[in-house]
Amino acid sequence: MINVTKTFLPPINEYIEYLEKIWESNWITNQGPLSEELESRLKDFLNVDNLLLVSNGTIALQLAIKALALKGEIITTPYSYVATTNSILWENCTPVFCDIENKTFCIDADLIESKITDNTSAIMATHVYGFPCDVEKIKSVADKHNLKIIYDGAHAFGVKFKNESLLNFGDISTVSFHATKLFHTIEGGAVICKDEKISEKIFLYRAFGHLDDEYYSVGINGRTSEFNAAMGLCNLPRINDFILERKNINLLYRDSLSGTGLEFPSVPEGIEYNYSYFPVLFKSESMMFEMKNKLLENGINARRYFYPSLNKLPYLNTESCPVSERTASRVLCLPVFNGLSSANIKFVSEIIKNNILS
Ligand SMILES: *Cc1c(COP(=O)(O)O)cnc(C)c1O
């Protein structure tokens, strides 16, 4: 089976070297030396001031909402993984969906203002597939209305906008280091904050709100372990190779699928992209299903990222977002992962080409 993604595992000996360090120190969790080292290396790599490792990308979003003390309505994107919406609901806020724009799949910054009410406290948007939201326009709307900004940057690791990490925008950006993402620590994630004070708050929240015998605030368990950090330390030095390899996968798909009439988004200009996903849009939902099944018959598991449009979640009752719904109904993400062979990319493309008109 060629899956939509496949977890990269480093040579086992590299991981064992870290395991030996863990056995030597007998320190396996609670922000040990490897977690400290990974945090510090990630700060250097992303060139950000405040970064905290956490146990996953979802708790990162929840900590962000909590630390900014958000209440009431949060304007958010319907086109993302369900964790984005769920974290808003979990923190007892109300998601207000703002439709996306066609080209980047990200929240349509021109529509945000029309969604603002007296109860709006923040904007929470996703850099979908690593394509940047219109961070400048969103900032100007937020500043005008005194709103906070959280970016779900789960796909944005390694993306640069104007020579700066995309994760350095917004009051807080979060990222996921889950095994399915471009850079992973098995499970994991991080919170990147502009404000030192907010970062200190999240530092406490991450570990039950206390330092030794001093109890400062409520908190939760959001920490990572030394085993997770060790995986990150093995993978981080490879990140530029990962991105280059995925760029070549992206180019080969583009080349092999040209002339099929399929829509696939072009990489926005002026950014350094991470090539983390390869979404294709079919003309209709039925054509998408037909192709998904054809691919499955041939041992290829393409996935509906993202479906459903989150405003259509069965436990919500919200107004429609036509662009997001139309996109979600006919999108498929093709396999992209480090180690995917050219032969397999051509195989996937051939199946699509041979079945696109039937
Ligand atoms: C993967 C993902 C998350 C959740 O991250 P976890 O580490 O799995 O909790 C959140 N948002 C988006 C957009 C994602 O793709």
Side-chain angles (χ1 to χ4, degrees):
M1 175 68 83
I2 306 172
N3 248 320
V4 70
T5 186
K6 183 179 169 190
T7 299
F8 176 84
L9 288 173
I12 195 164
N13 286 336
E14 285 185 30
Y15 195 66
I16 289 172
E17 275 178 40
Y18 283 109
L19 291 182
E20 280 166 357
K21 288 189 188 181
I22 295 173
W23 256 251
E24 230 166 80
S25 68
N26 212 331
W27 195 345
I28 66 172
T29 187
N30 286 10
Q31 201 63 16
L34 299 180
S35 305
E36 286 291 314
E37 187 182 338
L38 182 59
E39 242 175 36
S40 144
R41 287 219 210 156
L42 285 168
K43 274 191 231 176
D44 287 345
F45 175 73
L46 297 169
N47 198 16
V48 297
D49 293 331
N50 304 302
L51 178 146
L52 295 159
L53 279 179
V54 293
S55 41
N56 58 65
T58 306
I59 200 94
L61 288 167
Q62 288 171 221
L63 288 166
I65 295 170
K66 198 84 170 176
L68 294 172
L70 301 184
K71 295 267 174 318
E73 296 170 3
I74 299 179
I75 296 172
T76 190
T77 178
Y79 196 75
S80 184
Y81 183 55
V82 69
T84 316
T85 299
N86 278 350
S87 63
I88 294 173
L89 292 164
W90 201 266
E91 295 304 324
N92 287 318
C93 295
T94 306
V96 173
F97 292 100
C98 175
D99 210 348
I100 59 169
E101 52 159 8
N102 255 320
K103 253 176 103 176
T104 62
F105 305 92
C106 294
I107 199 165
D108 187 338
D110 289 328
L111 298 179
I112 292 176
E113 221 160 8
S114 70
K115 303 284 172 185
I116 296 174
T117 72
D118 290 345
N119 293 321
T120 309
S121 61
I123 299 162
M124 185 156 128
T126 301
H127 300 301
V128 180
Y129 310 130
F131 297 150
C133 295
D134 190 339
V135 290
E136 287 167 344
K137 201 172 282 168
I138 292 173
K139 179 154 176 24
S140 79
V141 174
D143 286 350
K144 185 171 158 199
H145 296 274
N146 199 19
L147 305 175
K148 300 291 185 194
I149 303 169
I150 298 173
Y151 286 116
D152 181 342
H155 302 176
F157 193 78
V159 178
K160 283 187 176 173
F161 176 77
K162 294 194 169 169
N163 271 329
E164 193 178 344
S165 169
L166 190 53
L167 297 171
N168 211 15
F169 290 83
D171 294 284
I172 299 183
S173 288
T174 64
V175 62
S176 165
F177 300 146
H178 183 254
T180 52
K181 311 292 199 226
L182 171 67
F183 166 74
H184 82 90
T185 62
I186 311 169
E187 289 275 354
V191 186
I192 294 111
C193 306
K194 272 281 155 63
D195 183 343
E196 177 92 39
K197 289 252 156 43
I198 298 289
S199 180
E200 283 165 9
K201 239 182 179 181
I202 294 175
F203 181 86
L204 280 172
Y205 286 173
R206 177 176 69 176
F208 307 102
H210 74 101
L211 289 172
D212 297 323
D213 292 338
E214 296 295 330
Y215 287 73
Y216 297 98
S217 69
V218 292
I220 196 166
N221 181 355
R223 67 186 165 222
T224 190
S225 84
E226 290 292 275
F227 295 85
N228 298 103
M231 183 60 80
L233 288 168
C234 290
N235 289 340
L236 189 59
R238 297 185 158 85
I239 187 69
N240 291 327
D241 296 338
F242 287 165
I243 292 173
L244 188 62
E245 190 183 342
R246 283 169 189 247
K247 180 176 183 177
N248 290 327
I249 292 171
N250 187 294
L251 293 175
L252 188 51
Y253 269 133
R254 264 168 214 282
D255 197 40
S256 315
L257 292 172
S258 68
T260 54
L262 284 176
E263 283 176 62
F264 26 86
S266 47
V267 174
E269 276 176 36
I271 71 161
E272 273 180 53
Y273 186 48
N274 64 6
Y275 301 91
S276 44
Y277 296 85
F278 197 87
V280 289
L281 284 169
F282 293 84
K283 291 212 166 68
S284 67
E285 185 167 34
S286 61
M287 286 170 92
M288 181 281 301
F289 270 125
E290 218 174 286
M291 191 62 74
K292 189 175 190 304
N293 291 333
K294 265 282 175 282
L295 289 166
L296 261 184
E297 283 168 23
N298 287 279
I300 301 155
N301 188 20
R303 291 292 304 274
R304 304 184 79 190
Y305 293 150
F306 293 108
Y307 176 88
S309 181
L310 297 169
N311 58 302
K312 300 293 263 187
L313 285 168
Y315 46 88
L316 290 175
N317 184 15
T318 62
E319 54 185 298
S320 73
C321 295
V323 182
S324 175
E325 286 164 38
R326 212 178 123 58
T327 305
S329 70
R330 54 200 182 96
V331 71
L332 275 185
C333 277
L334 302 184
V336 173
F337 53 84
N338 294 102
L340 179 62
S341 67
S342 301
N344 277 341
I345 298 165
K346 286 182 186 152
F347 176 60
V348 173
S349 306
E350 280 306 306
I351 307 272
I352 294 177
K353 269 185 165 164
N354 293 340
N355 292 284
I356 191 84
L357 296 173
S358 65

